[in-house]
Amino acid sequence: MRLGIISALHEEQAGLVEAMRGPSRLIHGMRDYVAGQLWEIDAVCVLSRIGKVAAAMTATTLVEKFGVTHILFTGVAGAGDKTVQVGDIVVAESLVQHDMDASPLFPRFEVPLTGQTHFQPDAPLSMRLVGAAQDFLELDFLDAVGEGERRAFGLARPRVHRGLVASGDQFVNDRLRLEAMNGALPGLVAVEMEGAAVAQVCHELGVPCAVIRAISDNANENAAPDFMRFVKSIAAQYAFHITRRLCRDLKEAPLQPRSDSAGT
Ligand code: ADE
């Protein structure tokens, strides 16, 4: 396997490139791709920057130019529901582009001419990710996130959620807007700006992907400062330890090849 690891921002992936064995760097399409071994897994790390186009471009390049066989998106998101709290972790079960609306030509949220509103990440890879996230919370969390930060962010007992992740070219910082999204998208657990674009690219190219997000804010009026604080001091710890656990698990028990390769 060759694992492509995408995050939007440096702070969401800090430490991974430094942990790489034998890193080699290549600039392509105004992005730095760093290939090497992460805990004995062949990997390519890259920052996509923010938004769906940036993420789609990055995912496509990882597959077409760097030959990755799987893609992991790791970063932060706003809570999509009241049961989801800052510090919790969301592993996408399904992804939708919440700003896609070509109605009345096509149903709202449908990506025109695909017949799909929702894109599914790879179930086996996502299950491994859930395991890595749960182990992180149980075994690493108290050491990785200092007491001061846990107190400042009110992180008591963070949990792992699975559910619908909605992506759009919009930072959601409005309670009413989030409520409207909740009404239109049942099962919503997180809002962010890249995951569904990566999921669509991976679906079309037949490459398994998974999306994990640490919740940085409540997508309300306080979202921007909450997001900035979380990204600065906590996000990298989540990404580093969860990716470390995932890579070790994948090394110990490799994923079975998929039989339904849809791409090419
Ligand atoms: N990423 C983190 N928080 C977000 C929010 N509130 N809206 C969109 N993307 C986000």
Side-chain angles (χ1 to χ4, degrees):
M1 98 181 289
R2 182 164 228 223
L3 181 64
I5 304 177
I6 313 178
S7 302
L9 302 174
H10 170 73
E11 291 85 347
E12 294 172 299
Q13 201 180 88
L16 284 184
V17 165
E18 291 74 9
M20 243 180 194
R21 289 262 168 90
S24 71
R25 193 175 299 263
L26 194 109
I27 299 174
H28 178 82
M30 301 186 180
R31 288 177 181 79
D32 267 20
Y33 293 79
V34 187
Q37 296 274 313
L38 269 179
W39 298 283
E40 297 181 57
I41 292 287
D42 195 14
V44 185
C45 290
V46 58
L47 303 178
S48 61
R49 303 197 294 270
I50 294 173
K52 291 187 292 153
V53 173
M57 156 86 176
T58 309
T60 307
T61 303
L62 276 174
V63 176
E64 297 294 337
K65 190 168 175 68
F66 292 89
V68 305
T69 59
H70 297 72
I71 289 185
L72 168 67
F73 196 107
T74 173
V76 302
D81 182 81
K82 289 190 178 62
T83 61
V84 180
Q85 318 235 310
V86 169
D88 285 0
I89 297 170
V90 163
V91 176
E93 209 162 37
S94 181
L95 296 110
V96 65
Q97 296 173 36
H98 67 74
D99 53 356
M100 175 60 76
D101 188 356
S103 61
L105 303 178
F106 297 90
R108 188 176 178 199
F109 303 127
E110 183 171 312
V111 178
L113 306 176
T114 66
Q116 279 187 244
T117 53
H118 292 54
F119 291 85
Q120 265 61 52
D122 184 65
L125 183 58
S126 299
M127 286 307 294
R128 301 295 190 93
L129 202 47
V130 168
Q134 279 167 342
D135 287 350
F136 160 70
L137 289 179
E138 254 172 53
L139 303 168
D140 306 323
F141 177 70
L142 290 180
D143 288 332
V145 181
E147 198 189 337
E149 279 151 349
R150 294 201 303 274
R151 197 169 295 159
F153 286 88
L155 312 181
R157 287 199 124 265
R159 297 193 300 141
V160 180
H161 305 262
R162 297 223 58 199
L164 177 63
V165 171
S167 313
D169 289 323
Q170 212 162 55
F171 185 80
V172 182
N173 63 345
D174 175 349
R175 193 180 312 261
L176 293 178
R177 167 134 186 78
L178 183 64
E179 270 171 27
M181 282 170 63
N182 264 297
L185 296 167
L188 184 66
V189 289
V191 291
E192 39 88 309
M193 302 180 71
E194 297 86 16
V198 171
Q200 183 184 340
V201 166
C202 286
H203 168 75
E204 293 180 358
L205 295 176
V207 169
C209 73
V211 174
I212 188 164
R213 296 282 186 172
I215 299 300
S216 57
D217 61 86
N218 289 311
N220 60 13
E221 290 64 22
N222 219 34
D226 288 352
F227 165 86
M228 294 303 292
R229 277 194 328 145
F230 192 94
V231 151
K232 248 191 204 155
S233 55
I234 299 187
Q237 305 299 329
Y238 276 62
F240 181 86
H241 289 286
I242 293 169
T243 306
R244 176 174 60 83
R245 288 194 171 274
L246 178 72
C247 287
R248 289 204 169 140
D249 177 51
L250 292 172
K251 182 69 195 168
E252 225 173 84
L255 288 168
Q256 298 300 315
R258 274 205 323 195
S259 54
D260 65 327
S261 188
T264 60

